[in-house]
Amino acid sequence: MSENDSQNIDLQTEGKATFHRGSALSIFKSDRAEDLIALVCALLIAFGVYVLVG
C-alpha cells in the first residue's frame, strides 16, 4: 500500500462531497481523547437527569 492509498482509507462520499470520516473536522488530537470527552459528557448529562428527575 502506498502512502497516498493509506490517506484514503476512511474517505466517505456524500453527494458531490468527499471527506474523511471526521478526522479532518475533529478538534481532538486522537480518537481516544474524543471518546473519553464524549463519555464524560454523557455521564454528566445522565447524572444531571438523575438529580433533577429523581
Side-chain angles (χ1 to χ4, degrees):
M1 180 181 299
S2 71
E3 185 176 354
N4 190 25
D5 290 338
S6 68
Q7 297 295 317
N8 297 327
I9 289 175
D10 63 347
L11 284 179
Q12 300 285 325
T13 302
E14 192 170 310
K16 294 182 180 179
T18 300
F19 56 93
H20 286 274
R21 192 177 48 99
S23 57
L25 301 174
S26 181
I27 61 172
F28 300 97
K29 290 185 178 186
S30 70
D31 287 340
R32 180 166 292 189
E34 185 175 0
D35 292 343
L36 287 175
I37 296 298
L39 178 62
V40 168
C41 289
L43 289 173
L44 289 173
I45 291 170
F47 181 71
V49 169
Y50 176 77
V51 168
L52 292 175
V53 173

